[in-house]
């Protein structure tokens, strides 16, 4: 294969590649490997930043001690990828890899986690729509004012969002304190953080299911009253009713936009956000869990070839072995 595209991986574009038509066929494997190689290159840059922070820090510092451990996992991540090609149906499964699962530091794990999230979300969505005909789907983005302290800004956003949920719950259970959020029958979303030179900008992307029209002006007034610093939010009808996966990309993409963050900012964001739950659900989506395993489930009772690819700096993932292990 050729050299991977240089630069930082872009979250929506990388995930779109994971759900495009035929992405799991042999013919799309080169572009898939290019995406993974570009992501892995940024992981290597972040690993260098981790090591630099450790070398300059105090090993007695709990975060430095943590970085030593997570750095060891990141150092082993993504060096090989094993694909299984079920040639009678032309389907590929990523069945072998070592992943660090530090998706705030590793774009490769972020891609795989986003892909798994998207798959799980679509399965639940199809069940919901079959059981609840007539539901409409919209996207809501909630923001707060930018700031220099990411921990404080993220906590402010989280508490404000939780206050909206509390108002929804109180109205649905007690009939008191109407909120536009009470019109929402199900939601799933994720936190995202950017920094484009004007401070940290945390926000939440939500996919919401509803029957009645959500009054944007009223919700903006609610949000300003809750946050005290922001009336900025967006409500848009989902644009791909025939292919909801395209709309779900926005909530399944990475929590951090690696392309917008320097390695130093990336590590600062990791320090502020590690251990925090960055996906949310309520109503008909309540309890949706993202699979921990980042490899694909194999197909049963079909012949296959196993192909092992190893990462080589400057040339991406290269095929090293191809074996027919099962007829």
């Amino acid at each position: 294969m050729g050299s991977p595209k240089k630069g930082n991986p872009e979250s929506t574009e990388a995930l779109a590649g994971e759900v495009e038509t035929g992405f799991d066929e042999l013919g799309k494997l080169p572009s898939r490997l290019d995406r993974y190689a570009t992501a892995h290159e940024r992981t290597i840059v972040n690993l260098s930043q981790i090591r630099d922070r450790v070398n300059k820090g105090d090993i007695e510092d709990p975060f430095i001690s943590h970085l030593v451990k997570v750095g060891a996992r990141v150092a082993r991540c993504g060096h090989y990828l094993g694909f299984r090609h079920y040639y009678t149906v032309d389907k590929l499964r990523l069945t072998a890899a070592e992943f660090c699962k530090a998706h705030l530091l590793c774009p490769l794990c972020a891609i795989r986690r986003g892909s798994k999230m998207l798959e799980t979300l679509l399965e639940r969505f199809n069940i919901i729509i079959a059981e609840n005909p007539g539901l409409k789907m919209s996207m809501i983005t909630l923001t707060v004012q930018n700031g220099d302290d990411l921990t404080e800004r993220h906590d402010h956003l989280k508490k404000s969002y939780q206050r909206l949920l509390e108002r929804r719950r109180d109205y649905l259970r007690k009939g008191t304190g109407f909120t536009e959020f009470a019109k929402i029958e199900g939601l799933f979303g994720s936190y995202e953080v950017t920094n484009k030179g004007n401070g940290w900008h945390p926000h939440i992307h939500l996919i919401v299911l509803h029957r009645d029209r959500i009054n944007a002006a009223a919700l903006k007034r609610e949000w300003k009253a809750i946050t005290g610093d922001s009336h900025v939010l967006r409500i848009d009808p989902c644009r791909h009713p025939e292919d909801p996966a395209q709309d779900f990309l926005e909530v399944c993409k990475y929590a951090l936009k690696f392309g917008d963050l320097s390695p130093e900012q990336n590590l600062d964001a990791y320090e502020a956000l590690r251990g925090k739950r960055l996906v949310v659900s309520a109503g008909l989506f309540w309890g949706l869990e993202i699979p921990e395993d980042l490899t694909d489930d194999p197909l049963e009772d079909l012949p296959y070839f196993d192909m092992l690819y190893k990462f080589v700096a400057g040339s991406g993932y290269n095929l090293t072995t191809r074996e027919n292990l099962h007829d």
Side-chain angles (χ1 to χ4, degrees):
M1 59 169 283
S3 298
K5 179 182 176 182
K6 300 299 180 183
N8 292 323
E10 294 297 336
S11 55
T12 306
E13 290 82 353
L15 274 181
E18 294 291 289
V19 298
E20 67 181 359
T21 302
F23 88 99
D24 58 348
E25 297 172 359
L26 186 62
K28 294 290 182 69
L29 182 57
S31 61
R32 191 176 180 183
L33 290 171
D34 280 350
R35 288 196 302 274
Y36 292 168
T38 300
H40 187 58
E41 286 174 345
R42 174 58 190 254
T43 301
I44 292 172
V45 172
N46 282 351
L47 177 61
S48 178
Q49 183 64 31
I50 291 170
R51 288 170 171 167
D52 185 60
R53 182 77 65 91
V54 168
N55 289 336
K56 293 178 180 178
D58 180 356
I59 196 62
E60 299 299 322
D61 182 329
F63 182 60
I64 297 300
S65 178
H66 169 79
L67 285 183
V68 171
K69 296 175 183 177
V70 77
R73 299 206 320 268
V74 173
R76 298 192 299 269
C77 182
H79 287 310
Y80 71 89
L81 301 174
F83 289 90
R84 186 160 289 179
H85 181 217
Y86 297 90
Y87 50 87
T88 59
V89 293
D90 192 25
K91 295 296 181 183
L92 283 168
R93 293 293 184 269
L94 176 57
T95 55
E98 185 167 5
F99 290 120
C100 65
K101 298 184 180 180
H103 61 91
L104 294 177
L105 291 171
C106 175
L108 176 58
C109 287
I111 290 174
R112 293 301 304 165
R113 181 176 182 270
S115 177
K116 288 287 189 177
M117 186 191 303
L118 183 57
E119 180 182 344
T120 304
L121 184 57
L122 281 171
E123 289 177 359
R124 173 71 70 86
F125 172 77
N126 289 331
I127 294 172
I128 291 171
I129 293 302
E131 295 177 348
N132 300 271
L135 284 175
K136 294 177 285 189
M137 187 168 76
S138 298
M139 169 79 73
I140 297 179
T141 301
L142 301 173
T143 74
V144 292
Q145 195 173 64
N146 291 15
D148 294 331
D149 186 334
L150 176 55
T151 299
E152 184 275 331
R153 287 288 85 191
H154 174 78
D155 288 347
H156 177 49
L157 174 61
K158 181 179 179 180
K159 290 175 182 177
S160 299
Y161 165 73
Q162 288 176 337
R163 181 60 184 140
L164 264 183
L165 284 188
E166 288 169 2
R167 289 186 175 188
R168 174 182 179 272
R169 180 194 61 206
D170 289 345
Y171 182 78
L172 293 178
R173 291 181 179 178
K174 306 173 186 177
T176 59
F178 177 76
T179 169
E180 289 297 311
F181 248 49
K183 297 176 181 178
I184 295 171
E185 297 188 30
L187 69 80
F188 183 87
S190 62
Y191 289 90
E192 184 181 32
V193 173
T194 59
N195 190 327
K196 298 183 179 180
N198 297 311
W200 294 103
H201 176 57
H203 46 287
I204 309 177
H205 295 296
L206 301 170
I207 288 286
V208 300
L209 302 178
H210 57 101
R211 299 181 191 277
D212 299 329
R213 183 181 70 87
I214 299 172
N215 186 318
L219 186 56
K220 286 181 180 181
R221 289 193 295 269
E222 278 191 68
W223 188 240
K224 178 62 182 294
I226 289 172
T227 64
D229 62 22
S230 179
H231 65 277
V232 178
L233 57 81
R234 290 189 54 136
I235 303 178
D236 300 297
C238 290
R239 293 172 293 194
H240 305 88
E242 74 293 342
D243 185 12
Q246 300 304 316
D247 291 306
F248 289 152
L249 290 174
E250 196 69 20
V251 301
C252 294
K253 65 185 182 181
Y254 324 155
L256 302 180
K257 284 192 173 180
F258 296 99
D260 291 342
L261 299 178
S262 68
E264 295 84 358
Q265 289 174 326
N266 200 157
L267 196 53
D268 290 340
Y270 175 73
E271 183 175 10
L273 299 177
R274 69 186 179 96
K276 298 183 183 297
R277 185 170 178 82
L278 300 177
V279 296
V280 297
S281 61
L284 294 171
F285 282 114
W286 173 252
L288 191 69
E289 294 291 339
I290 304 167
E292 288 292 324
D293 189 356
L294 299 185
T295 56
D296 297 325
D297 294 331
L299 300 179
E300 299 296 336
D301 301 321
L302 289 174
Y304 58 79
F305 283 100
D306 271 335
M307 301 178 294
L308 182 66
Y309 289 82
K310 290 188 177 179
F311 182 83
V312 177
S315 64
Y317 285 102
N318 294 272
L319 180 65
T320 60
T321 60
R322 182 177 186 270
E323 299 179 5
N324 184 355
L325 299 181
H326 178 72
D327 289 316

